[in-house]
């Protein structure tokens, strides 16, 4: 509980800022997300460097940022997907070619190239998905004949709300009542009580989201609280897996936090962990 005050202060500042960016959308939203993606990729590469692997970070970090900017130019997923795939494929070939000179046979080229491509995709694609998600309601006409200015932001708020409320429920109830550990070899602090509380919190967040926005999104494809609750449960499970996956990378590197950018929260990846699954879902 010692990090509760810094977490609260970051939330007080961060949540209104995020909502403001979602309201404006477009380049105003994409540029900060691209910067976060670049920083997140850098954190992945530091994980590898701790283990003696030297990724070509100066190639991977810019591509992580470019992945987020693509949906601004191509907000339609079928148009954006080939460009995103092309960026990652091009990064793979470019990094492999560069490894001939800058790593050589003794510089672990296979691992260096793999980590470079993975780091860019892991940090960049979830934010790219957020940009595509923000454009989805307008493209699919979920907002009806007179869409709200919030229509794009509403869609992104769904995975954010389920992740954040689920995380809060898991944190408080898991700290108070958690005894049996969920996955102690990866994340010793997580318990089964916290996991179930997190899923319940995600379901509650999804239902509340639907109650608030359903009049503004008459074309939303899920109908009724039951279907929305099911989606909330799926997002809650995805959040747990995403959190554990990032913990796995930190555990290998022997690091408690991915960085020190956010007081009480750690680095970019410590905030992105669950969202790497929930936003794409």
């Amino acid at each position: 509980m010692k990090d509760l005050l810094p977490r609260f202060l970051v939330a007080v500042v961060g949540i209104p800022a995020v909502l403001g960016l979602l309201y404006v959308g477009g380049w105003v939203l994409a540029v900060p997300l691209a910067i976060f993606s670049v920083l997140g990729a850098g954190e992945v590469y530091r994980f590898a460097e701790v283990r003696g692997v030297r990724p070509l970070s100066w190639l991977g970090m810019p591509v992580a940022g470019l992945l987020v900017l693509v949906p601004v130019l191509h907000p339609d997923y079928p148009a954006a997907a080939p460009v995103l795939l092309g960026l990652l494929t091009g990064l793979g070939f470019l990094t492999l070619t560069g490894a001939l000179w800058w790593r050589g046979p003794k510089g672990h080229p296979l691992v260096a190239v793999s980590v470079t491509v993975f780091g860019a995709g892991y940090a960049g694609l979830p934010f790219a998905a957020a940009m595509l998600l923000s454009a989805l309601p307008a493209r699919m006409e979920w907002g009806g004949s007179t869409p709200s200015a919030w229509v794009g932001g509403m869609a992104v708020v769904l995975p954010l709300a389920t992740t954040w409320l689920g995380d809060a429920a898991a944190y408080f109830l898991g700290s108070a009542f958690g005894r049996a550990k969920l996955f102690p070899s990866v994340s010793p602090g997580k318990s089964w009580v916290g996991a179930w509380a997190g899923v319940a919190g995600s379901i509650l967040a999804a239902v509340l989201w639907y109650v608030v926005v359903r009049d503004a999104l008459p074309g939303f494809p899920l109908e009724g609280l039951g279907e929305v609750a099911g989606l909330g449960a799926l997002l809650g499970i995805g959040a747990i897996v995403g959190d554990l996956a990032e913990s796995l990378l930190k555990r290998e590197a022997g690091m408690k936090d991915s960085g020190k950018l956010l007081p009480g929260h750690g680095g970019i990846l410590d905030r992105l962990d669950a969202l790497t699954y929930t936003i794409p879902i």
Side-chain angles (χ1 to χ4, degrees), residues 182-234:
L182 176 65
F183 215 137
S185 63
V186 172
S187 185
K190 291 180 175 57
S191 66
W192 280 102
V193 169
W196 286 114
V199 173
S202 295
I203 294 173
L204 176 61
V207 170
L208 291 175
W209 174 87
Y210 182 68
V211 170
V212 171
V213 309
R214 59 184 170 186
D215 290 338
L217 295 176
F220 187 66
L222 298 186
E223 297 181 0
L225 296 180
E227 292 186 2
V228 174
L231 176 58
L234 179 61

Side-chain angles (χ1 to χ4, degrees), residues 156-169 197-209 228-229 231-237 239 274-275 278-279:
V156 185
V157 165
L158 174 58
L160 295 182
T162 54
T163 300
W164 291 342
L165 187 57
D167 181 63
V199 173
S202 295
I203 294 173
L204 176 61
V207 170
L208 291 175
W209 174 87
V228 174
L231 176 58
L234 179 61
L235 291 171
I237 294 170
L275 295 174
T278 57
I279 291 178

Side-chain angles (χ1 to χ4, degrees), residues 26-108:
W27 289 102
V28 175
L29 173 62
V31 171
L33 294 186
I35 294 172
F36 291 149
S37 296
V38 171
L39 296 175
E43 292 176 359
V44 174
Y45 299 147
R46 281 194 291 275
F47 291 161
E49 290 166 356
V50 168
R51 303 299 295 174
V53 176
R54 295 187 300 140
L56 283 80
S57 56
W58 58 278
L59 289 175
M61 290 171 69
V63 171
L66 288 174
L67 292 172
V68 185
L69 301 179
V70 167
V72 183
L73 301 174
H74 302 284
D76 183 11
Y77 176 77
V83 183
L84 296 172
L85 178 61
L87 280 172
L88 288 175
T89 304
L91 174 63
F93 283 116
L94 183 61
T95 306
L96 182 58
T97 303
L100 288 169
W101 287 275
W102 299 309
R103 292 299 178 265
K106 296 182 179 180
H108 305 290

